[in-house]
Amino acid sequence: MPKCLVAVGLMSGTSMDGIDVALLETDGEDFVSRGPFRTYPYSADQRARLAKSLSEARTLTGRFERPGGLGVLERDLTSWHADAVRSFCEDTNLDRSDIDVVGFHGHTILHRPANRLTVQLGDGALLAQLTGLSVVSDFRAADVAVGGEGAPFVPVYHRALAGAIAARPLAFVNIGGVANITYIGRDGQLLAFDTGPGNALIDDWVFGHTGSPVDLDGRYALSGRIDERLLDDLMSDRYFFQRPPKSLDRLRFKTDAVAGLTLEDGAATLTAFTARSIAAAVRHLPENPQAWIVCGGGRRNPALMGSLEIAVKGLVMPSEAQGLNGDSLEGEAIAYLAVRSLRGLPLSFPSTTRVPAPMPGGVHHTA
């Protein structure tokens, strides 16, 4: 068996919540030993700066462009991640000398694979300098450069975890800002794609009305009524009929469609939209999954989980029902991908991102 490495994964992704940090010991293939996990929340000011970066990024035509305040934000964001590594080591009594590599995803501010462009804020070389550790970053760039979707990238880690789960076919559903699915068939077949909006629209809607970043416990959605006409309009979008692999920019869908509704009815309708768009993914799968394992922040929203249970035919469960931490999976996946990158193993595949052949990736930075 190849030597196992101790990796720390840093995940911000499209989330405005904070920086996820997870420890993993792995060979980048079948062996996975999961360690501690922490989330270091963004302050209100940090969230505001990240939200502003999405509008500043709309004019980007190259992944290294940093107009306006994006350059300063990238340096600051990298420093925040370095602080997260230091805090993680202190909080978990981890000696930094035991860490072989840090996987650094960065914060996605633009994703346009049709233009062969994906932009994640985060300076891998600077993070290596600030932490004194080996860093792997820019996981998506190589995939997009050859015509891949550049997302989702977690499926290869889902497949490693699925070895301990008997149900087949099996679906992992990650509900972050955008929702994505990993389908694992009876013979280990892997298929993955973004299904549609995740928490982003719900969060944006609630924040715009209340200043709260989330619909805590789904309370607004549970108090509202779904506008079925508006929901049908949302579900008629051509994206849901497009064959996978496929991926979404966080801003692909907007809350404008429910602008005339009350806070509660808008939350209910957008929550149903996320659930039904996940269920609509079945039309692209070889078989209906026997089990749906939900990870990411969406699994904590009872309104969303209830809607999903109604929308799909199969057992819906939070990842914890399989002994997995749904908050840590993406951070663990970045650690896993960092080890695969160092070993030259593929990170993405024709059936997950539409690359022409299994594609390695990531850029290695030494301290």
Side-chain angles (χ1 to χ4, degrees):
M1 184 180 75
K3 178 185 176 183
C4 292
L5 299 180
V6 175
V8 168
L10 302 175
M11 185 64 181
S12 175
T14 59
S15 169
M16 301 292 180
D17 297 336
I19 301 168
D20 293 340
V21 188
L23 184 70
L24 196 73
E25 184 178 2
T26 183
D27 61 358
E29 296 189 82
D30 298 327
F31 179 81
V32 171
S33 178
R34 297 163 48 242
F37 163 78
R38 298 287 188 279
T39 293
Y40 297 95
Y42 287 130
S43 68
D45 178 67
Q46 288 170 327
R47 286 198 301 270
R49 292 180 65 189
L50 290 170
K52 182 181 178 183
S53 73
L54 298 177
S55 59
E56 291 180 322
R58 290 176 184 172
T59 60
L60 295 179
T61 58
R63 71 186 189 94
F64 296 113
E65 295 175 6
R66 298 294 185 268
L70 292 181
V72 173
L73 177 58
E74 181 168 54
R75 289 192 296 274
D76 289 347
L77 180 86
T78 305
S79 178
W80 302 340
H81 280 73
D83 291 341
V85 171
R86 283 190 285 270
S87 296
F88 182 75
C89 290
E90 293 171 1
D91 294 344
T92 62
N93 296 316
L94 176 65
D95 191 323
R96 274 199 277 180
S97 64
D98 292 333
I99 300 173
D100 294 304
V101 63
V102 174
F104 179 29
H105 179 274
H107 191 86
T108 299
I109 57 172
L110 188 72
H111 185 68
R112 293 179 182 166
N115 299 334
R116 300 201 174 189
L117 179 62
T118 185
V119 182
Q120 287 75 43
L121 288 183
D123 186 333
L126 177 59
L127 185 65
Q129 176 186 333
L130 292 173
T131 61
L133 297 167
S134 174
V135 171
V136 175
S137 62
D138 288 328
F139 292 97
R140 303 181 188 275
D143 181 282
V144 171
V146 297
E149 289 290 325
F153 260 53
V154 181
V156 67
Y157 182 57
H158 285 157
R159 185 167 63 184
L161 294 175
I165 303 172
R168 292 291 188 280
L170 174 68
F172 279 87
V173 179
N174 180 64
I175 308 179
V178 170
N180 56 66
I181 187 171
T182 298
Y183 172 89
I184 302 168
R186 297 179 189 276
D187 58 355
Q189 175 189 6
L190 196 63
L191 178 64
F193 52 95
D194 286 345
T195 60
N199 302 312
L201 292 182
I202 305 166
D203 293 349
D204 290 350
W205 176 256
V206 171
F207 181 78
H209 284 74
T210 71
S212 172
V214 298
D215 182 7
L216 187 64
D217 296 328
R219 64 182 64 170
Y220 295 119
L222 289 171
S223 299
R225 296 180 62 183
I226 298 169
D227 188 312
E228 294 288 349
R229 182 186 62 79
L230 289 180
L231 181 56
D232 287 343
D233 287 344
L234 288 166
M235 287 302 304
S236 68
D237 190 279
R238 60 184 174 81
Y239 179 80
F240 302 118
F241 302 91
Q242 179 185 332
R243 291 181 62 187
K246 54 184 178 177
S247 65
L248 279 172
D249 184 275
R250 185 188 187 279
L251 299 178
R252 173 65 170 76
F253 294 97
K254 301 184 182 348
T255 60
D256 298 358
V258 297
L261 301 183
T262 65
L263 164 62
E264 293 80 7
D265 290 354
T269 303
L270 292 174
T271 299
F273 181 34
T274 291
R276 293 194 196 177
S277 59
I278 292 170
V282 170
R283 64 166 59 101
H284 302 297
L285 304 180
E287 293 184 71
N288 195 71
Q290 290 184 5
W292 300 70
I293 299 175
V294 184
C295 46
R299 79 193 192 290
R300 297 189 182 279
N301 182 333
L304 180 52
M305 291 293 282
S307 292
L308 188 58
E309 288 176 2
I310 294 170
V312 305
K313 295 178 181 179
L315 179 63
V316 176
M317 67 186 83
S319 51
E320 284 74 12
Q322 292 293 334
L324 304 172
N325 183 336
D327 292 324
S328 68
L329 280 183
E330 284 199 307
E332 292 169 13
I334 296 303
Y336 183 79
L337 293 175
V339 174
R340 286 184 71 86
S341 178
L342 291 180
R343 294 191 56 210
L345 297 171
L347 310 186
S348 57
F349 304 85
S351 63
T352 62
T353 68
R354 208 192 300 275
V355 283
M359 176 63 57
V363 178
H364 185 206
H365 308 274
T366 56

